[in-house]
Amino acid sequence: MPSLTRAEATARAALLTVDAMEVDLDLDRGPEVFGSRTTIRFTCHDPGGRTFVDLRPRALHAVSLNGAALDPASLAEGRLVLTGLAAQNVLEVEATMGFSHDGQGLHRSTDPADDEDYVYGHLFLDAAPTVFACFDQPDLKAPYTVAVTAPEGWTVLGNGGATVTAPGRTELATTPPLATYFVTVCAGPWASVRDEHDGIPLGIHARRSLGTHLREQAGHVLETTRACFDHYHRLFGIRYPFGEYHQVFVPEFNAGAMENPGCVTFRDTMVFRGAATPDQVLQRSNTIAHEMAHMWFGDLVTMRWWDDLWLNESFAEYMAYRAVTEVTEFADAWVEFGVVSKMWGYAAERAPSTHPVAGSPAPDALSALGNFDGISYAKGASVLRQLIAHVGDEAFTAGVTEYLRSHAFGNGELAEFRAAMEVASGRSLAAWSAAWLETAGADRLAVEHGVLLRTPPADHPADRPHTLDVAAFAGGRELARVDVVAECDRTPVPGLDAVPPGAIVVPNASDLTWAEVSLDAATTDALVEGLADVPDADARAVVWVALLGAVHRAEVDPRTALAVFAAAWPRETSSAVLSRVALLVTTQVVPLFLPPAEQEPALARVADAADELLARAAGIRGDAGSALAVLAARVWARTGSDTDRLRRWAAGDGIPDVLEGDDDFRWGVLRRLATLGRLADDEIEAAEAADRSLAGSLAALGVRAVRPTSAAKEWAWGRLRDDTELSNHAALAVGGGFWVAPDPELVRPYVDRVGDLLVGMSARMGDDALSRVVTAMHPTRLVEEATATASGAILARADLTPGVRRAVVDADHELREALASRRRFG
C-alpha cells in the first residue's frame, strides 16, 4: 500500500478542515476482529473537489458521503476516493477490522498467567486506518468522540474520560483536537490505582496478573507524576489541557512509551516483577517525564510534517531530563543521559543513515520512521542545551512558551519555533540553526598541548560553536576545570599547562555539548589506574563514551577497553554507568570486536569484575549495597562459566538476598546455562511451568533459541519464517538468541537467507515492529567478510520496506565497524 507523501498531505490539508471525528468500536467479536463505525465531519475549501480517506479494513461493509451510498469496492490500496465534495461534508464508514499482533494498530494479547485478553491502540506512524477511517496525517487534527463496546468485566480507557453507560458499553469524553496517531483505546480487565492531583484525575493501570507489583510501585509512579505536572505548569505557565491523565502499562509494546493525550501507554516491563536497580527506576521516571512533556510538545502543538519530528522528541527528551534532575530524587540524571542516550546518538551519527536534527528529508510517512533515532532524541536534546547556553535560559523559556501559546491545538514547524526564539532572545538564530539543527554530523573535540581542537566531520562541515568545559584529574582529585567557548577550530585552554603528565584530561567534562571526544594517548594510558578515582560522574561517563566510541571507530584496541573495564568498573558508583557499560562490553565489545578465540576468556574477566563488585556490595549496608549486588549478579549471570554455580543460582541458592524469588533473574541464569549447552529440554519446560507469565513465556523462547545445537537453530529459524501468529515480542525473543553460537558453523548456513526471511516477515508485521526484529536478526555477530557481502546483498534488494532498509543499513554499519577493528588490531 502506498505511503502518504508530503505532497499529498500538503494538498489535502489545503483542501480540508476536519471538524469532528466520531468513532464507535465493537471489541466483543472474538479474538481476531472488531467492528468499526466512523463518522467524519469535514469542511472542503474548494467545493466540488476530490480527495481520499485512509482505510485498511478486513471488510468494508458500507460507506456514505452526505447521505449518498458509495461503492465499497472502490476502496483500493488503503484509499477510498471521495469526489464532488460539498462545503460541509459527513462521511460515514462501517467496517470490520483485524486485531494486530505486532504492536501496531489495535493490538490484542493474551496473558498466559491467567488467559485474560488485553487490547491497546498504538496508531503511530500510519496505523490509524487499521482501526477507523480517517485523514491520516499530523496536521489534520480534530476533536474525537469515541464509544466502545467490550466484554463485560473489561475496563475501557482512552484519550477522554470514560463513562460506563451500560454493561459492556463505555463512552469517552470528546477530546480537544488530536492528530490521528495520538488516538488510543486500552481495554481489558486492568488492575488500577487512581488518584487526583491539582484537579487532574490520575490513573495507573496494568494487566491483572501484575496487580500486586503495580500497587507496590504505584506510590513512586504517582509521586513522580505529580512532581512533573507541577514542574511543567511552573515552567510553561500553561496548564495540562487534556482532562484526565492515565498511564497504562501494556504488553508487547514496541517502544518504551507513547504520548497519547490523556492515556499514555508504556511497555509493561516498567512494572518491575523483581529487583529494580536505581538506573531502572530512573529510566521509568524519565519516561514518565518524557511522555508528560509531550502533552505540550507534540500533543498540544504537533509538527506539521514528519521532517520536524524533533519538535516532539528533542524537546520531550530535554525537558524530561531537566524535570527529573530538578524535582525527583535523581539529581544526577544527566549522567544517565550521557552514557545511555548520547551513546545511542553518537552511534547514529557515525552511520551512513545520519541526518540533521531538523528538516531531515521525509518524502513520505514511512520514510520518516528511521528518524526516530538517537539523533532526534539525544542529539536534539543536547542541541537544546547548547541553545540555552547561547541565548540564556530565560529567553529560551520565554520563546518556548510563546511558541506553545501561539500554536496551541495546532501545528508548528522549525521556522515558527525559530521565530519565537529570535523574538525572545533579540538575536538572529539563522546561522546557529543552520549549523546545529540543519546540518548532520558530530564534531570531534580533543586537547593537545593546552589547545582544544574542534574537527568538523568532512562529509558534513559546519561552523558549530561549543560552550563546554575541560577538566583534568589525577590521584582522585580535580586538578583543573576551564570553561571554554569554542568558536573556531583551535581554542587555547588556559591553566592546563600546570597539569602534570599522566593526568586524565577530559574535554566536555560536564557533557554540555554534542561532540565525539577523542582522548589523548596519555589519558588513555592512565585510565586503567585512574578512571575509577575520577570524582566527577559526568566526566567518567564522558570518558566511557569516548573510549567505547573509539573502539567502534577502530582507533582504540578493544583489549584496552576490556582492561579499563576490569580495573575501573568494579569500583564505579553510578548505577547508570555500571549497567550501561557492562551491557555494551558484553553485547558489543566482546562478541563483535574480539576474535572468537578471545571471547570466552574476555567474558571470564568480566565475570571476575562482577565478583569484585559483589564482594564490594557485601560491605555496603542498605539499599545502596543491594543495588550494587543486583547489578553485579546480573552481569555474572550472563558471563560466568561455572556451571555448578549457575545451577545453584538457578535454584535460588547463594544469590544475593534481594534477588530471592526474582523470576527474571532466574531466566537470565538459565539463558547462560543454555548458551553453554548445559540446559536440557525438560529443565526449560519445568522453568516455564513455574513461571506462567508473559515475561516467562518470552524468556523461554529466547532460551530455546540460544542453545548451541543445529536443532535449536532450525527450530528458531522455522518459528520466525513460518509462525504467522508470532507476536512482535516473541519474534524479538527468538531473534535475540539465534546468532549466539560458540561454533560459527551452526549459523553460517543462514546468513544468505536473512533477506528472504525479513521480506517474508514484512508481509505480516509492520515496519515499526519489524525494524526492531531486523536489529536482532541481522548476522552482525558473525564478523566475517562473507557476512558483509551477504549484508550488502540484502541492501541491494528492491523489496525492502523503508523501515527494514534503514535498520539493515545501521546493522551493516556496525558489522563493518567490527571488521575494520579486527583488521587493525588482529
Side-chain angles (χ1 to χ4, degrees):
M1 292 186 183
S3 179
L4 183 72
T5 68
R6 179 169 189 169
E8 290 172 328
T10 300
R12 195 161 62 173
L15 181 67
L16 305 178
T17 298
V18 184
D19 303 307
M21 294 285 298
E22 299 166 19
V23 178
D24 196 320
L25 303 176
D26 182 359
L27 309 184
D28 199 13
R29 298 187 182 180
E32 298 301 325
V33 299
F34 61 96
S36 173
R37 294 201 310 272
T38 311
T39 301
I40 308 177
R41 305 180 190 277
F42 64 99
T43 299
C44 176
H45 305 300
D46 183 15
R50 60 183 285 153
T51 188
F52 61 91
V53 69
D54 301 296
L55 179 64
R56 303 204 298 274
R58 291 280 182 90
L60 178 57
H61 305 300
V63 186
S64 68
L65 177 64
N66 299 328
L70 304 182
D71 183 2
S74 63
L75 176 67
E77 296 190 301
R79 295 180 175 186
L80 184 66
V81 175
L82 308 176
T83 60
L85 297 176
Q88 301 296 322
N89 301 272
V90 178
L91 178 70
E92 297 176 285
V93 178
E94 183 174 354
T96 295
M97 303 292 200
F99 288 114
S100 81
H101 302 289
D102 65 355
Q104 295 176 244
L106 207 58
H107 181 95
R108 187 165 183 141
S109 175
T110 301
D111 186 348
D114 53 15
D115 292 324
E116 294 283 7
D117 278 12
Y118 296 86
V119 169
Y120 64 87
H122 183 61
L123 306 194
F124 167 91
L125 170 84
D126 64 345
T130 66
V131 180
F132 50 81
C134 58
F135 300 110
D136 189 24
Q137 59 191 74
D139 59 344
L140 285 177
K141 301 170 78 170
Y144 278 76
T145 304
V146 177
V148 180
T149 299
E152 290 189 38
W154 281 22
T155 299
V156 175
L157 305 162
N159 305 99
T163 300
V164 177
T165 58
R169 183 68 174 171
T170 301
E171 295 182 0
L172 302 176
T174 300
T175 70
L178 304 181
T180 48
Y181 77 102
F182 290 140
V183 178
T184 193
V185 166
C186 300
W190 305 109
S192 301
V193 177
R194 296 177 185 267
D195 197 9
E196 183 274 339
H197 177 66
D198 195 17
I200 304 169
L202 306 176
I204 57 173
H205 316 268
R207 288 177 287 130
R208 181 181 291 168
S209 64
L210 289 174
T212 299
H213 303 298
L214 180 78
R215 288 185 286 273
E216 290 171 349
Q217 297 163 50
H220 188 271
V221 170
L222 289 168
E223 179 185 359
T224 302
T225 301
R226 291 189 289 264
C228 289
F229 264 128
D230 291 344
H231 173 77
Y232 292 139
H233 285 158
R234 286 193 303 267
L235 187 64
F236 307 138
I238 301 171
R239 281 191 59 81
Y240 167 69
F242 296 107
E244 298 184 8
Y245 194 73
H246 296 275
Q247 297 173 97
V248 191
F249 296 86
V250 300
E252 300 180 328
F253 198 64
N254 281 323
M258 180 65 195
E259 64 269 21
N260 314 301
C263 190
V264 179
T265 44
F266 296 81
R267 180 178 292 193
D268 67 4
T269 52
M270 292 186 190
V271 178
F272 308 120
R273 298 200 310 157
T277 56
D279 63 292
Q280 289 178 288
V281 180
L282 164 58
Q283 287 168 10
R284 183 178 66 189
S285 295
N286 180 263
T287 306
I288 290 170
H290 179 108
E291 303 310 321
M292 188 184 293
H294 273 309
M295 298 301 120
W296 289 266
F297 297 97
D299 297 3
L300 178 64
V301 182
T302 309
M303 77 256 158
R304 189 162 284 115
W305 183 245
W306 300 105
D307 57 347
D308 270 318
L309 167 71
W310 78 286
L311 287 168
N312 289 18
E313 299 304 344
S314 299
F315 279 88
E317 187 81 344
Y318 167 73
M319 291 296 175
Y321 278 99
R322 178 169 176 163
V324 295
T325 299
E326 294 182 12
V327 301
T328 76
E329 70 271 34
F330 298 108
D332 59 349
W334 286 111
V335 175
E336 196 262 359
F337 175 75
V339 79
V340 177
S341 293
K342 293 184 78 171
M343 190 96 73
W344 173 40
Y346 290 140
E349 285 276 54
R350 292 194 301 269
S353 56
T354 186
H355 57 85
V357 172
S360 182
D364 59 68
L366 273 183
S367 68
L369 183 63
N371 294 337
F372 284 80
D373 60 11
I375 294 171
S376 296
Y377 285 75
K379 181 179 181 179
S382 299
V383 168
L384 291 177
R385 295 183 84 185
Q386 282 294 293
L387 177 59
I388 292 170
H390 190 63
V391 304
D393 191 62
E394 184 176 345
F396 173 77
T397 303
V400 163
T401 301
E402 173 54 30
Y403 172 75
L404 293 173
R405 288 190 186 279
S406 61
H407 294 79
F409 301 111
N411 300 83
E413 57 189 23
L414 170 61
E416 293 162 328
F417 171 75
R418 197 179 80 194
M421 295 304 302
E422 288 178 336
V423 170
S425 64
R427 64 173 73 180
S428 171
L429 295 175
W432 187 93
S433 176
W436 275 112
L437 293 173
E438 299 165 65
T439 305
D443 293 344
R444 296 281 293 277
L445 297 178
V447 172
E448 291 184 7
H449 308 297
V451 176
L452 178 69
L453 305 180
R454 180 192 68 175
T455 306
D459 293 342
H460 305 284
D463 185 13
R464 284 176 278 258
H466 295 266
T467 300
L468 70 151
D469 58 0
V470 178
F473 306 90
R477 296 187 302 112
E478 181 178 302
L479 304 180
R481 187 177 293 266
V482 183
D483 293 328
V484 179
V485 177
E487 296 180 313
C488 55
D489 291 344
R490 297 179 60 86
T491 304
V493 184
L496 288 187
D497 52 346
V499 173
I504 294 173
V505 178
V506 187
N508 194 29
S510 296
D511 207 11
L512 298 175
T513 194
W514 180 264
E516 288 206 273
V517 166
S518 293
L519 302 173
D520 65 83
T523 290
T524 302
D525 291 342
L527 294 180
V528 170
E529 297 295 330
L531 178 56
D533 295 321
V534 171
D536 183 336
D538 283 305
R540 295 197 305 275
V542 169
V543 168
W544 276 116
V545 172
L547 181 65
L548 295 174
V551 170
H552 278 267
R553 297 190 301 269
E555 295 170 355
V556 167
D557 192 326
R559 299 166 189 84
T560 299
L562 185 63
V564 175
F565 179 89
W569 185 83
R571 298 171 57 199
E572 178 59 56
T573 57
S574 166
S575 179
V577 173
L578 282 165
S579 179
R580 179 55 54 149
V581 169
L583 181 66
L584 293 174
V585 167
T586 55
T587 62
Q588 292 185 359
V589 174
V590 173
L592 298 186
F593 293 92
L594 289 178
E598 296 184 36
Q599 291 177 13
E600 277 302 321
L603 290 179
R605 293 186 71 182
V606 174
D608 289 343
D611 271 334
E612 285 187 51
L613 184 58
L614 270 172
R616 180 177 146 221
I620 302 174
R621 294 182 177 179
D623 292 344
S626 295
L628 291 179
V630 170
L631 283 161
R634 287 175 178 170
V635 173
W636 194 93
R638 64 175 182 261
T639 57
S641 57
D642 183 340
T643 55
D644 289 338
R645 180 174 169 185
L646 286 165
R647 290 194 177 281
R648 291 196 304 273
W649 277 23
D653 180 15
I655 61 176
D657 292 344
V658 68
L659 289 170
E660 289 183 8
D662 190 321
D663 287 325
D664 293 332
F665 177 74
R666 181 168 59 92
W667 278 113
V669 176
L670 293 175
R671 185 182 177 95
R672 179 59 176 163
L673 280 167
T675 302
L676 296 171
R678 304 297 295 271
L679 197 65
D681 287 342
D682 60 340
E683 293 175 292
I684 301 174
E685 292 166 4
E688 236 183 328
D691 181 10
R692 303 295 301 176
S693 68
L694 181 59
S697 174
L698 295 172
L701 288 173
V703 166
R704 286 189 167 92
V706 83
R707 291 175 295 173
T709 67
S710 58
K713 302 309 178 185
E714 286 179 22
W715 169 85
W717 190 269
R719 289 295 300 270
L720 291 165
R721 182 192 58 210
D722 302 329
D723 189 347
T724 59
E725 298 300 315
L726 200 66
S727 74
N728 52 332
H729 274 219
L732 276 173
V734 175
F738 180 80
W739 295 105
V740 179
D743 179 5
E745 194 54 42
L746 282 172
V747 292
R748 276 199 189 105
Y750 297 92
V751 171
D752 290 328
R753 297 155 60 185
V754 171
D756 288 339
L757 176 74
L758 297 177
V759 170
M761 293 181 73
S762 67
R764 64 180 191 266
M765 188 175 290
D767 263 23
D768 190 27
L770 187 55
S771 61
R772 302 166 202 274
V773 177
V774 171
T775 302
M777 279 309 298
H778 189 275
T780 312
R781 286 181 69 113
L782 198 62
V783 184
E784 299 173 353
E785 294 292 345
T787 307
T789 300
S791 181
I794 297 173
L795 287 171
R797 297 179 68 129
D799 52 359
L800 301 183
T801 61
V804 169
R805 181 173 298 280
R806 164 62 190 269
V808 174
V809 166
D810 290 347
D812 179 83
H813 173 69
E814 187 173 37
L815 168 65
R816 293 175 193 279
E817 284 186 328
L819 283 167
S821 175
R822 289 197 189 183
R823 283 194 293 268
R824 178 172 181 184
F825 297 110

